[in-house]
Amino acid sequence: MAILTFIGHSTFTLQTDDGTRLVIDPFLADNPVTEVTAEDLDADFILLTHGHHDHVADAIPLARRTGATIIASYEIGSYMEQQHGFSVSPQHIGGGVNYPFGYVKMTPALHGGKLDLPGGEKFTTVPGGFLINLSGGQRFYHAGDTGLSIDMQLLKGKVDVAVLPIGDRFTMGPKDAVTAVEFIEPSVVIPCHYDTWPPIEQDATAFVAAVGDRADVEVMEPGAVFEF
Ligand code: NI
Ligand code: MN
């Protein structure tokens, strides 16, 4: 079983069948919905969908402490390597890489590309998401921050568990997320990127009702665990 833990906002940890520990979009110290810090997490790989503060804020202390390899776009990878000397595995939209724990492909996201880290200005990039085919057979998708896109139809039938933002304002809102579920047809959908702050408050119960029988919706509170 893969063990997915929702830390809060868009931050997840995923422990794979073989015990590899992934951390996706570490946003901890400034994250109002969690007490977890970079001191608390173990990581073999840190995956960064894009460079906004609420996705990369704790990547540097976490990578420094754990020695984890950072998987991110070429530009964010270059920043982490050149500015901090971290181990990186750069990728880009549409490209995949085989890791011991599975195959990771970067997917497109409609969003902003600024890298919100000290000295990060010239490493601005395009944002993405991750489609992860775990060695155990499970297929996991973290959309990152994105609006609804027709490109999501390319994921149809390729995802078991989909993490989708529903906060509106900066990403898809609940209504568009339902359309994304129609496009992707995952077995399970997990909403994220909502209720962190007032501007992105949403009614998760209403989202569950709106998805209906299209997929099972796992509404995870910060700290919740989902195994698949
Ligand atoms: Ni963002
Ligand atoms: Mn965000």
Side-chain angles (χ1 to χ4, degrees):
M1 299 289 274
I3 304 168
L4 181 73
T5 303
F6 181 48
I7 305 297
H9 194 55
S10 284
T11 308
F12 289 82
T13 65
L14 179 60
Q15 183 173 317
T16 67
D17 291 20
D18 67 358
T20 304
R21 297 155 306 182
L22 315 183
V23 177
I24 303 171
D25 284 0
F27 172 51
L28 304 167
D30 292 344
N31 186 334
V33 299
T34 185
E35 300 296 315
V36 173
T37 73
E39 293 294 310
D40 302 321
L41 296 179
D42 292 317
D44 300 299
F45 295 89
I46 300 168
L47 288 74
L48 305 175
T49 61
H50 67 292
H52 287 165
H53 181 75
D54 58 320
H55 298 260
V56 302
D58 293 84
I60 293 168
L62 185 61
R64 186 172 291 132
R65 207 193 91 246
T66 62
T69 295
I70 293 172
I71 299 173
S73 70
Y74 168 76
E75 291 83 4
I76 294 176
S78 297
Y79 168 84
M80 292 295 181
E81 190 171 44
Q82 293 172 23
Q83 305 281 316
H84 300 283
F86 295 146
S87 165
V88 306
S89 178
Q91 296 193 202
H92 233 301
I93 307 296
V97 174
N98 270 311
Y99 299 95
F101 64 86
Y103 181 76
V104 178
K105 188 176 186 180
M106 279 197 79
T107 53
L110 296 176
H111 194 63
K114 186 183 175 210
L115 178 54
D116 287 329
L117 287 170
E121 297 79 10
K122 67 174 187 270
F123 297 90
T124 290
T125 182
V126 293
F130 292 107
L131 176 63
I132 307 177
N133 285 32
L134 293 170
S135 301
Q138 311 95 322
R139 303 166 306 170
F140 176 79
Y141 171 56
H142 188 305
D145 281 3
T146 185
L148 177 66
S149 81
I150 285 286
D151 289 354
M152 290 174 179
Q153 293 180 354
L154 294 170
L155 298 172
K156 181 176 176 175
K158 297 179 178 172
V159 177
D160 300 311
V161 177
V163 171
L164 302 177
I166 67 161
D168 223 345
R169 185 176 290 269
F170 301 114
T171 68
M172 290 188 285
K175 200 169 177 184
D176 280 353
V178 171
T179 304
V181 171
E182 289 176 346
F183 285 173
I184 300 166
E185 297 185 357
S187 302
V188 175
V189 59
I190 298 169
C192 74
H193 213 275
Y194 70 99
D195 283 0
T196 317
W197 304 278
I200 56 171
E201 277 177 3
Q202 293 297 336
D203 182 349
T205 306
F207 177 66
V208 174
V211 171
D213 60 6
R214 295 176 182 87
D216 292 333
V217 182
E218 285 286 330
V219 176
M220 298 177 75
E221 298 297 323
V225 172
F226 175 71
E227 298 190 14
F228 63 100

